[in-house]
Amino acid sequence: MAKNTKARHDDLRKRLIDLAEKTVEAEGLSALRARDLANKAGCSVGAIYNVLTDMNTLTLHVNGRTFKRLGIAVAASIADKADLPPRDRLIALSLAYLDFANNNFKAWTALFDIEMTAGPDVPEWYQNALNELFRHINGPVREIYPEMGKIDSDLMTRGLFSSIHGIVLLGLQRRISGVPQEEMARMITLILSNLSK
Amino acid sequence: MAKNTKARHDDLRKRLIDLAEKTVEAEGLSALRARDLANKAGCSVGAIYNVLTDMNTLTLHVNGRTFKRLGIAVAASIADKADLPPRDRLIALSLAYLDFANNNFKAWTALFDIEMTAGPDVPEWYQNALNELFRHINGPVREIYPEMGKIDSDLMTRGLFSSIHGIVLLGLQRRISGVPQEEMARMITLILSNLSK
DNA sequence: CCCTCTCAGTGAACGGTGTTCAGAATGTAA
DNA sequence: TTACATTCTGAACACCGTTCACTGAGAGGG
């Protein structure tokens, strides 16, 4: 029965993450409540804590899935575009990022709404997921700036990602007036098109 | 006494905002609690609600002050640099933004941590404060791209602000590995220096 | 078949939020 | 002093995540 318990635990854990993912996608991270979740899963509140250490780690699991989907969507955007000029590949990547954030707004928001006060460092899988995104950007960057040293081209890569992220973030949160949805794509294109050299 | 109460209310409101500002600066938005605040102000919890509709509006007041300080800091960075080339002025503005966010990290974070789910629109003063920042950016942008139409140059302005914001945000939150403090300035400089035309 | 005995699962209870509102306290006027 | 109006108070409420003393179902031996 030790084996049996583990199987039941694994099963419950998976169901909880599935349900949490649906909730986050539909209503956002703030709608993820322990009692509601237990209710939907047909278990007690306590059962959640038999299987997951925290509500926070549950969110981490959901975010892990979101990051995976994000990575796939971004990679797909340049899968058949290897022959395009590097600037156009950067634009394609960025628009895919915008598109994903827009179509999965609440799940995408949850990626950055989570607490990360524990220590100076972020979970490893989070770093890995970001590094995966960086890899895609780094190729075009090195093509555009072949003379640039590795340190600077890495900085440029992270800087470009952060820039696009900032545009998408402030735009989708409607924190900046006069940036309707359809203009965000143009904003991204404008900035990336004007990268010199 | 109607006058008298108004004066007392105004006084209490001011003291509450002062105390809240200190708390947010020292410990962050999450440390702002109604009971603690009442304790520090020497009043009852209920008194807060006689004078402020909400804990959220209290945060808005604090954020208003932070935005004002931010605006002053950013404006000061180019006050004596009118003769510099536009790209250098953009860099000065951006580094001032980075500097302010770094030196007032918790208060600056609070600017964007606040709930804005109420309706599709953000408070008016928030928009005004942002527009003030945009004005500073718009000048150099129009100098760099004199042939650009107003619509596009406005998009470029907002896009550049969002970009710098994204770099500062992800960098200071340590959400991106390998971007130590001193390299963020270089990251910003790299990107802005490579704006073409 | 029954009786232990173990242990996973339960949900009431705990500590912590923001917010409210019946009543106490204070002030005003007759 | 008394009657009334106004202001202020803090216990109580609703709602979080989290815990832990209990329950009850199932295993194994007699």
Side-chain angles (χ1 to χ4, degrees), chain A residues 44-59:
Chain A
S44 68
V45 241
I48 296 174
Y49 293 87
N50 291 338
V51 156
L52 294 158
T53 63
D54 231 77
M55 271 289 156
N56 201 55
T57 67
L58 176 59
T59 308

Side-chain angles (χ1 to χ4, degrees), chain A residues 153-172:
Chain A
S153 84
D154 279 1
L155 279 180
M156 183 64 108
T157 297
R158 290 151 202 269
L160 281 178
F161 171 79
S162 302
S163 295
I164 302 303
H165 175 76
I167 292 175
V168 172
L169 182 71
L170 293 183
L172 290 184

Side-chain angles (χ1 to χ4, degrees), chain A residues 30 111-116 120-122 126-127 130-131 134 145 148 151-156 158-171 173-179 183-184 186-187 190-191 193-197, chain B residues 30 111-116 120-122 126-127 130-131 134 145 148 151-156 158-171 173-179 183-184 186-187 190-191 193-197:
Chain A
S30 62
L111 292 178
F112 305 96
D113 273 358
I114 199 172
E115 287 281 329
M116 289 200 179
D121 28 41
V122 168
Y126 187 105
Q127 295 293 351
L130 270 181
N131 288 334
F134 291 159
Y145 304 102
M148 205 178 253
I151 291 177
D152 274 1
S153 84
D154 279 1
L155 279 180
M156 183 64 108
R158 290 151 202 269
L160 281 178
F161 171 79
S162 302
S163 295
I164 302 303
H165 175 76
I167 292 175
V168 172
L169 182 71
L170 293 183
Q173 285 182 341
R174 312 197 157 279
R175 283 207 146 96
I176 288 193
S177 62
V179 183
E183 302 208 332
M184 293 185 53
R186 171 139 187 84
M187 190 185 271
L190 257 182
I191 291 205
S193 304
N194 280 290
L195 271 186
S196 74
K197 266 311 186 45
Chain B
S30 62
L111 292 179
F112 306 95
D113 274 358
I114 200 172
E115 286 282 327
M116 289 201 181
D121 29 38
V122 167
Y126 187 104
Q127 296 293 351
L130 270 181
N131 287 335
F134 291 160
Y145 304 103
M148 205 179 253
I151 291 177
D152 274 1
S153 84
D154 278 1
L155 280 179
M156 183 63 108
R158 290 151 202 269
L160 282 178
F161 171 79
S162 302
S163 295
I164 301 303
H165 176 76
I167 292 174
V168 173
L169 182 71
L170 294 183
Q173 285 182 342
R174 315 198 155 276
R175 283 208 145 96
I176 288 192
S177 62
V179 183
E183 303 209 332
M184 292 185 52
R186 171 140 187 84
M187 191 185 268
L190 257 181
I191 291 205
S193 304
N194 280 290
L195 271 186
S196 74
K197 265 316 188 41

